[in-house]
Amino acid sequence: MKRLSTLDASWLAVESEDTPMHVGTLQIFSLPPNAPDTFLRDMVARMKVDCDVAPPWNYKLANAGFLGRLLAPAWKVDKDIDLDYHVRHSALPRPGSERELGVLVSRLHSHPLDFSRPLWECHIIEGLENNRFGLYTKMHHSMIDGISGVRLMQRILSTNPDETNMMAPWSVKPVRGRKASGENAATLNWAFNEALHALKIQVDSTPKLVSALTRLVHSARHEEDHLTAPFVGPRSMLNGRVTGQRRFATQHYPLERLKQLAKYADASLNDIVLYLCGTALRRFLLEQGQLPDTSLTAGIPVNIRPADDHGTGTAISFMIASLATNEAGPLERLDAIRASTCSAKEHLQSLPRSALNQYTMLMMSPYILQLMTGLGGRMRPAFNVTISNVPGPEKPLYYEGAKLEAMYPVSLIAHGGALNITCLSYAGSLNFGYTGCRDTLPSMQRLAVYTGEALDELELILLSKKPGARKASKSGTARSKRGASAK
Amino acid sequence: MKRLSTLDASWLAVESEDTPMHVGTLQIFSLPPNAPDTFLRDMVARMKVDCDVAPPWNYKLANAGFLGRLLAPAWKVDKDIDLDYHVRHSALPRPGSERELGVLVSRLHSHPLDFSRPLWECHIIEGLENNRFGLYTKMHHSMIDGISGVRLMQRILSTNPDETNMMAPWSVKPVRGRKASGENAATLNWAFNEALHALKIQVDSTPKLVSALTRLVHSARHEEDHLTAPFVGPRSMLNGRVTGQRRFATQHYPLERLKQLAKYADASLNDIVLYLCGTALRRFLLEQGQLPDTSLTAGIPVNIRPADDHGTGTAISFMIASLATNEAGPLERLDAIRASTCSAKEHLQSLPRSALNQYTMLMMSPYILQLMTGLGGRMRPAFNVTISNVPGPEKPLYYEGAKLEAMYPVSLIAHGGALNITCLSYAGSLNFGYTGCRDTLPSMQRLAVYTGEALDELELILLSKKPGARKASKSGTARSKRGASAK
């Protein structure tokens, strides 16, 4: 038996019919050339036969009942795992486009996990058009955070397209040593535990946490020009109570296309991501007649070097930036976002490590706190939407000769935050996963479409403003010029 | 707002993670000749466009929270139904055989319904081999009982293969008048309410119910030869606590084949059904090393004419019969079953209507009582397994030109009763649906296979014992001779 950390246990405590606390990864593969008709069936059979299940895949709750998992959360090893239950072969109805895939993943992500078993499921999805298939894997957040989950699923893959008889994801033993802890250090879970430790408080000592929080809110609100403080975002349809069903949508672009735009606009790649999300959200909310007068704000996990760290170390923190959804003009919107992220980063970089940890705690704990105290969706949100941008593998990866074409995080949402957008880079592309509440964000899938159209529009504007840019960017001189002017 | 009856509400009260209380119907259709590739997609689209949702499909709980549905269960009309949520287009992985269908229906039947919406889902399942598709419909037992659910799904069908633009199941208004109440009278739900009324007690007055029950157990135990009393079945692996996941399996036979066997054996069709189930169960339990020394008993809903009813009226009641699982010889097993059902029917027929209602109450209430008091699976079962045999439509039916090939009830199970077998006749065939607990009845699907092999075996034995029978039965004289000797 292994007791869960306070943070891990908190994900069990806030699990409810309306807020299931699992995270997922959707991977899209193309079938190997000349794959037999039975390729997927054989793969699924092989995955199930291999019964050597490694941690954390073989952990289950020692006390699966509601009270047990609340009061004495601990893992025990399940020595009799029913792989037929956990590993599921599914299919899409015709035509098997991204639309049918989105509908199925939305459904699968809405079902709660069975708490009497190890808290994961893996769905092999056949029938995706253009000779592709999907792999949707779902794990409870108390076992793993979203980004670690994505990394776990990527660890089984190979850069060698000719490798076969590869291990099932749940048979790969966890990596130990420096690399693994480095990976850990980049996760929110780890940062939260660090921050908790720095503040020397426990999540369950609520009054102490509330006072620490109030104090930090004020200390964090400098009077800098463009700094977006927490709790200044407007109330919006993104920030009420949520219900139990989810919608999931995806979008993906060549990374190079976004990087070029960032250069043209003298902005960071992250600014372009925020611009695309903000523009899509503005249009979505306008259509619903629900656009707030003041701008929506985004909570964004970032890697930052603390002011008192002169080495190579970084810490994970959380910045809050404006999405400038109140700006009608595209370029004005982009300018406002850039100014906001610039101030936010400067503010974070000015903080010594201890204050940075407290700041991170501030940014992240309201989420947990609101959930635990039932305030989520009933008070002003700390920020309106979570937008993460996570670096993924740079080289093409393969499983049993099938090429990984794209990989999307499928996230969780909670009361007070009905939308999560997580982007993951992979082999020259940037993959957006949108996870939202089915009932409070009707037609959320449109956000993915609008993000695409926002990119086309921005490209058109920037290229027409700088007529020589497209041509020039192809020559080394022009590129370095652009590169120099970008900060 | 419409308050639920005590019985209807009790299904909500016993709903839990381990015992979701919904029932289903699985219908298998063959695609019409020359159906376009988009037949199913078009059908699903048409079903969703038709937004005039009729009762009970548009009812949802007025208080969806756990306490609300427990303390003040009432229906209200949902005027804003999200049909995209309720009507789901799914698909089977290749080869799309009965096996893949069974796996998918097992999964779908294991997911609890969303209590904040009308308590039903309808899944259109494509990719079933030999140009077929499935329609799996799921409703909460508080809205409808299993057999009424099957009838509800059959009401939308037509005997005319050329009819098109038919209504969606949820658009057909409920039938009123004598026929409807006649249908109701044949359901367990109605009988239970009648019985409750006859006993002038409420389910929630537990002590009174317990004393009535005890008294009736004794009055019901006549000393007739083969009468199987309640609470005499052995404890078995079918009768412990259950967990939340289900397995579903099917089997079907030409009705004529079973009827011929019944004639050869001088038994009723129902005896043959019980023989097949008992034989399959004996083999299944033997293989698991779990066959009890004494015979398993089956609880069987039957239509019976009460002793004081000299008209054409019948009442629904419940008989308990031996499955003779302790008999090694097939013919001995069949004889013992026949003697047992014969005594049970005679006993029921000897009771006046008031006593019959009380007897029915006795047979059915332990099920509810055990659930409500948490005794289910912890005391000796009233009987070991529920086996229903329900008459269905006699003529082939169609939906949008697609022929209904088979129709199976997907039932619910509860603590103390991990297996339900329900048979439904349709257009010359008898369709068996097996619903069981995934964890406590591993490989339950084998029961369906064993039922098939039990039939082959019995046929061989009876035909070899009566060598002239097969040939003779084809001549009118021989058939009437057989008919005369059958009781």
Side-chain angles (χ1 to χ4, degrees):
Chain A
M1 294 242 296
K2 177 175 174 267
R3 271 194 68 87
L4 276 73
S5 75
T6 307
L7 180 63
D8 286 345
S10 73
W11 299 105
L12 291 170
V14 296
E15 171 91 16
S16 74
E17 277 183 24
D18 288 336
T19 58
M21 287 289 140
H22 51 257
V23 289
T25 310
L26 174 64
Q27 297 171 303
I28 311 285
F29 292 88
S30 51
L31 287 164
N34 308 318
D37 262 8
T38 58
F39 179 84
L40 278 187
R41 205 158 20 126
D42 297 344
M43 189 181 96
V44 174
R46 206 166 44 239
M47 281 175 152
K48 287 187 192 173
V49 162
D50 193 337
C51 270
D52 190 15
V53 180
W57 306 89
N58 62 351
Y59 288 169
K60 70 173 183 181
L61 288 170
N63 304 291
F66 177 72
L67 277 179
R69 68 196 193 220
L70 201 67
L71 302 177
W75 297 123
K76 67 177 178 188
V77 171
D78 186 342
K79 285 170 185 150
D80 188 27
I81 295 185
D82 177 1
L83 279 181
D84 274 335
Y85 176 85
H86 294 278
V87 185
R88 300 178 164 209
H89 192 171
S90 299
L92 297 180
R94 282 173 289 182
S97 70
E98 252 65 16
R99 189 179 171 280
E100 283 77 27
L101 179 66
V103 168
L104 180 61
V105 173
S106 300
R107 281 182 206 157
L108 297 177
H109 202 62
S110 297
H111 295 309
L113 289 160
D114 184 340
F115 279 79
S116 65
R117 304 169 196 273
L119 295 169
W120 63 277
E121 293 168 12
C122 182
H123 300 255
I124 295 90
I125 302 168
E126 82 174 45
L128 187 58
E129 62 184 6
N130 301 323
N131 285 314
R132 295 172 301 158
F133 67 92
L135 196 66
Y136 162 74
T137 315
K138 168 174 163 181
M139 297 187 98
H140 201 269
H141 203 308
S142 56
M143 288 176 76
I144 202 153
D145 68 278
I147 295 311
S148 303
V150 168
R151 298 228 161 98
L152 197 67
M153 289 309 293
Q154 120 197 4
R155 226 175 47 200
I156 60 153
L157 305 177
S158 166
T159 50
N160 177 5
D162 297 323
E163 196 174 332
T164 54
N165 286 314
M166 293 168 69
M167 293 176 90
W170 38 93
S171 302
V172 182
K173 294 238 161 24
V175 185
R176 293 184 199 279
R178 286 197 61 188
K179 199 178 160 222
S181 80
E183 268 185 13
N184 272 343
T187 67
L188 298 186
N189 210 351
W190 179 87
F192 187 82
N193 277 326
E194 285 291 288
L196 270 183
H197 185 253
L199 283 171
K200 296 199 176 34
I201 57 171
Q202 294 288 318
V203 172
D204 47 6
S205 68
T206 310
K208 214 170 160 188
L209 185 61
V210 169
S211 75
L213 205 133
T214 313
R215 187 166 36 79
L216 281 168
V217 169
H218 291 286
S219 73
R221 288 186 74 170
H222 293 230
E223 290 308 312
E224 284 151 290
D225 235 358
H226 301 287
L227 183 64
T228 304
F231 301 104
V232 302
R235 295 213 61 154
S236 78
M237 66 185 294
L238 304 177
N239 305 108
R241 306 286 292 176
V242 298
T243 58
Q245 305 296 326
R246 301 288 164 264
R247 294 183 195 267
F248 180 67
T250 62
Q251 180 62 277
H252 72 132
Y253 310 102
L255 201 52
E256 199 47 43
R257 198 176 158 198
L258 300 181
K259 282 184 178 165
Q260 284 290 5
L261 271 191
K263 282 186 190 167
Y264 293 160
D266 293 346
S268 71
L269 178 66
N270 204 43
D271 291 340
I272 299 294
V273 168
L274 295 181
Y275 169 83
L276 298 177
C277 296
T279 304
L281 274 168
R282 176 181 158 82
R283 183 167 160 197
F284 178 78
L285 292 172
L286 260 180
E287 278 185 0
Q288 312 261 350
Q290 300 258 11
L291 182 69
D293 292 337
T294 56
S295 175
L296 294 188
T297 61
I300 307 153
V302 285
N303 270 306
I304 212 86
R305 182 178 306 169
D308 54 2
D309 188 331
H310 305 292
T312 56
T314 57
I316 193 153
S317 186
F318 216 72
M319 75 177 183
I320 295 187
S322 165
L323 289 174
T325 50
N326 55 338
E327 291 283 357
L331 290 179
E332 289 75 14
R333 196 152 56 243
L334 182 54
D335 281 343
I337 290 171
R338 191 173 37 193
S340 171
T341 58
C342 205
S343 295
K345 274 188 223 155
E346 278 170 16
H347 173 62
L348 288 181
Q349 269 165 344
S350 70
L351 298 174
R353 186 177 283 268
S354 64
L356 189 67
N357 279 343
Q358 291 185 9
Y359 188 89
T360 307
M361 169 74 181
L362 156 74
M363 297 297 143
M364 300 183 57
S365 60
Y367 183 68
I368 300 290
L369 180 73
Q370 285 187 28
L371 289 172
M372 295 192 72
T373 57
L375 286 176
R378 297 198 172 107
M379 59 183 282
R380 200 180 181 102
F383 45 84
N384 294 103
V385 54
T386 307
I387 301 179
S388 313
N389 185 358
V390 184
E394 289 177 10
K395 285 186 182 165
L397 297 173
Y398 297 83
Y399 187 69
E400 294 286 316
K403 186 183 176 195
L404 179 67
E405 300 285 350
M407 179 158 55
Y408 302 96
V410 192
S411 198
L412 57 74
I413 61 169
H415 292 306
L419 177 66
N420 176 297
I421 304 176
T422 304
C423 309
L424 186 71
S425 62
Y426 163 63
S429 66
L430 192 64
N431 306 275
F432 286 58
Y434 305 76
T435 310
C437 175
R438 179 182 180 90
D439 289 317
T440 61
L441 296 185
S443 310
M444 186 216 74
Q445 290 89 333
R446 280 188 212 151
L447 279 175
V449 179
Y450 296 169
T451 309
E453 294 179 11
L455 178 58
D456 293 341
E457 184 196 43
L458 183 65
E459 215 162 38
L460 207 67
I461 293 169
L462 288 178
L463 292 184
S464 70
K465 272 193 64 176
K466 306 187 175 179
R470 182 170 242 170
K471 214 171 122 208
S473 77
K474 291 193 174 157
S475 76
T477 333
R479 183 178 281 162
S480 65
K481 194 177 146 201
R482 288 251 63 76
S485 68
K487 269 177 199 166
Chain B
M1 294 241 296
K2 177 177 174 265
R3 271 193 69 88
L4 276 73
S5 76
T6 306
L7 180 63
D8 287 344
S10 73
W11 299 104
L12 291 170
V14 297
E15 170 91 18
S16 74
E17 276 182 25
D18 288 336
T19 58
M21 288 289 140
H22 51 255
V23 289
T25 311
L26 175 62
Q27 298 171 301
I28 311 284
F29 292 88
S30 52
L31 287 164
N34 309 317
D37 263 8
T38 58
F39 179 85
L40 277 186
R41 206 162 15 130
D42 297 344
M43 190 182 95
V44 174
R46 209 166 40 240
M47 282 175 150
K48 287 188 192 174
V49 163
D50 194 338
C51 270
D52 189 15
V53 180
W57 307 89
N58 62 351
Y59 288 169
K60 71 173 183 181
L61 287 170
N63 305 292
F66 176 71
L67 278 180
R69 68 198 193 218
L70 202 67
L71 303 178
W75 298 123
K76 67 176 178 188
V77 170
D78 187 342
K79 287 171 183 149
D80 188 27
I81 295 184
D82 177 0
L83 280 181
D84 274 336
Y85 176 84
H86 294 278
V87 185
R88 301 180 163 207
H89 192 173
S90 300
L92 298 179
R94 282 173 289 184
S97 71
E98 252 66 14
R99 188 178 172 281
E100 283 77 26
L101 179 66
V103 168
L104 179 61
V105 173
S106 299
R107 280 182 207 159
L108 296 178
H109 202 62
S110 297
H111 295 308
L113 288 162
D114 183 341
F115 280 79
S116 64
R117 302 170 197 274
L119 294 169
W120 63 275
E121 293 168 12
C122 181
H123 301 256
I124 294 91
I125 302 169
E126 82 173 46
L128 187 58
E129 63 184 5
N130 301 323
N131 284 315
R132 295 172 302 157
F133 68 92
L135 195 65
Y136 161 74
T137 315
K138 168 173 165 183
M139 297 185 98
H140 201 268
H141 203 310
S142 56
M143 286 175 76
I144 203 154
D145 67 278
I147 295 311
S148 302
V150 168
R151 298 226 163 101
L152 197 66
M153 289 310 292
Q154 126 198 358
R155 226 177 47 200
I156 59 153
L157 306 176
S158 167
T159 51
N160 178 4
D162 298 322
E163 197 175 331
T164 54
N165 286 313
M166 293 169 69
M167 292 175 92
W170 39 93
S171 302
V172 182
K173 295 238 159 28
V175 185
R176 292 184 199 280
R178 284 197 61 187
K179 197 176 161 226
S181 81
E183 268 185 13
N184 271 343
T187 66
L188 298 186
N189 207 353
W190 179 86
F192 188 81
N193 278 325
E194 285 291 289
L196 271 182
H197 185 252
L199 282 171
K200 294 198 177 35
I201 56 171
Q202 295 288 318
V203 172
D204 46 6
S205 69
T206 311
K208 215 170 159 188
L209 185 63
V210 170
S211 74
L213 207 134
T214 314
R215 186 164 38 77
L216 281 168
V217 170
H218 292 287
S219 74
R221 289 187 73 171
H222 295 228
E223 289 309 310
E224 283 150 290
D225 237 355
H226 301 286
L227 184 64
T228 303
F231 301 104
V232 303
R235 294 213 59 153
S236 79
M237 66 184 292
L238 303 178
N239 306 108
R241 304 287 291 178
V242 298
T243 57
Q245 305 296 325
R246 300 289 164 263
R247 294 184 197 265
F248 180 67
T250 63
Q251 181 61 277
H252 71 132
Y253 310 103
L255 200 54
E256 198 47 43
R257 196 174 159 200
L258 300 180
K259 282 184 178 168
Q260 284 289 5
L261 272 190
K263 281 186 189 168
Y264 293 160
D266 294 345
S268 71
L269 177 67
N270 203 44
D271 291 340
I272 299 294
V273 168
L274 294 181
Y275 169 84
L276 298 176
C277 296
T279 305
L281 274 167
R282 177 181 157 82
R283 182 167 160 197
F284 178 78
L285 292 171
L286 261 178
E287 279 185 359
Q288 312 261 350
Q290 301 257 12
L291 182 68
D293 292 337
T294 55
S295 174
L296 293 189
T297 61
I300 307 152
V302 284
N303 269 308
I304 211 87
R305 183 178 308 169
D308 54 2
D309 188 331
H310 305 292
T312 55
T314 57
I316 193 153
S317 187
F318 215 73
M319 74 178 185
I320 296 188
S322 165
L323 288 174
T325 49
N326 54 338
E327 291 283 359
L331 290 180
E332 290 75 14
R333 196 152 56 243
L334 182 54
D335 281 344
I337 289 171
R338 193 173 34 194
S340 172
T341 58
C342 205
S343 296
K345 274 188 222 154
E346 278 170 15
H347 172 62
L348 288 181
Q349 268 166 344
S350 70
L351 297 174
R353 184 176 284 269
S354 63
L356 187 69
N357 279 343
Q358 290 183 10
Y359 189 90
T360 307
M361 169 75 181
L362 156 75
M363 296 299 142
M364 299 183 56
S365 59
Y367 183 66
I368 300 291
L369 181 72
Q370 283 186 29
L371 288 172
M372 295 193 71
T373 57
L375 286 176
R378 296 199 173 107
M379 58 182 281
R380 200 180 181 100
F383 44 85
N384 295 103
V385 54
T386 307
I387 302 180
S388 314
N389 185 357
V390 183
E394 290 178 8
K395 286 187 181 162
L397 296 173
Y398 297 83
Y399 187 68
E400 295 285 318
K403 186 183 176 192
L404 179 68
E405 300 285 351
M407 179 159 54
Y408 303 96
V410 191
S411 199
L412 56 76
I413 61 169
H415 292 305
L419 178 65
N420 176 297
I421 305 176
T422 304
C423 308
L424 185 69
S425 62
Y426 162 63
S429 67
L430 191 64
N431 305 274
F432 286 57
Y434 304 76
T435 311
C437 175
R438 179 182 180 92
D439 290 316
T440 61
L441 296 184
S443 311
M444 187 217 74
Q445 290 90 335
R446 281 189 212 150
L447 279 176
V449 179
Y450 296 169
T451 308
E453 294 178 12
L455 178 58
D456 293 342
E457 184 196 42
L458 183 65
E459 215 163 40
L460 208 67
I461 294 170
L462 287 178
L463 292 183
S464 70
K465 273 193 64 173
K466 306 187 174 179
R470 182 172 244 173
K471 213 171 122 208
S473 77
K474 291 192 176 158
S475 74
T477 334
R479 182 178 284 163
S480 67
K481 192 177 147 203
R482 288 251 62 76
S485 66
K487 267 172 198 165

